[in-house]
Every structure is written in structure tokens, then in C-alpha cells.
Amino acid sequence: MTIKSSIRIPKLIEQESITGYFQRTSSVNNYEKANLIYSLAGIKKNVKAGSFIEEDLILLANFFQKGPVKA
């Protein structure tokens, strides 16, 4: 079993920010910091320090769904 397949992914709350969603997902999975999710998704930088770029959002979308997202 991979880490991705064992992660619990909560439903998105209406009007929830993307960083808030990752914080909540981290909490549900008993992760100390949300940065672990970014690392698991393949994002190397700390996205809280800057803005997301399109490639980052695609990596996150692919992480949280079964099928790949195309740009």
C-alpha cells in the first residue's frame, strides 16, 4: 500500500481556501504539518510562502483524484 492510497481525503467544504483544505486534510490524517501533502503531491517548494502556479495545481489535483488532470 502506498502513502497516497492510504491517505484519508475529506470532502471539500464550500468556500474553503485551498490552504485551509490541506490543513484540514493533514489534521484528519494526523500529519504534523500540511507540507507533507505538498511533498507527497510532488511539489518541492513551500506553497504557503508564495502563490501556486498552474503546474502546482495540476500536481495537487492529480494527487487528490484517481484520473490525471490535463493542462
Side-chain angles (χ1 to χ4, degrees), residues 3-10 21-33 36-37 40 63-64:
I3 293 176
K4 180 179 175 182
S5 65
S6 64
I7 190 171
R8 292 177 289 175
I9 300 174
Y21 178 69
F22 295 131
Q23 290 289 346
R24 194 164 53 84
T25 302
S26 295
S27 178
V28 165
N29 287 282
N30 297 315
Y31 297 155
E32 190 172 320
K33 297 182 178 185
L36 179 58
I37 292 176
L40 293 172
F63 181 76
F64 282 107

Side-chain angles (χ1 to χ4, degrees), residues 36-70:
L36 179 58
I37 292 176
Y38 303 132
S39 296
L40 293 172
I43 296 173
K44 305 275 189 260
K45 63 180 181 164
N46 182 350
V47 292
K48 289 179 78 175
S51 59
F52 285 101
I53 57 172
E54 183 178 356
E55 291 82 12
D56 294 337
L57 293 173
I58 290 170
L59 286 169
L60 290 169
N62 285 336
F63 181 76
F64 282 107
Q65 72 174 19
K66 293 181 182 179
V69 173
K70 295 180 182 175

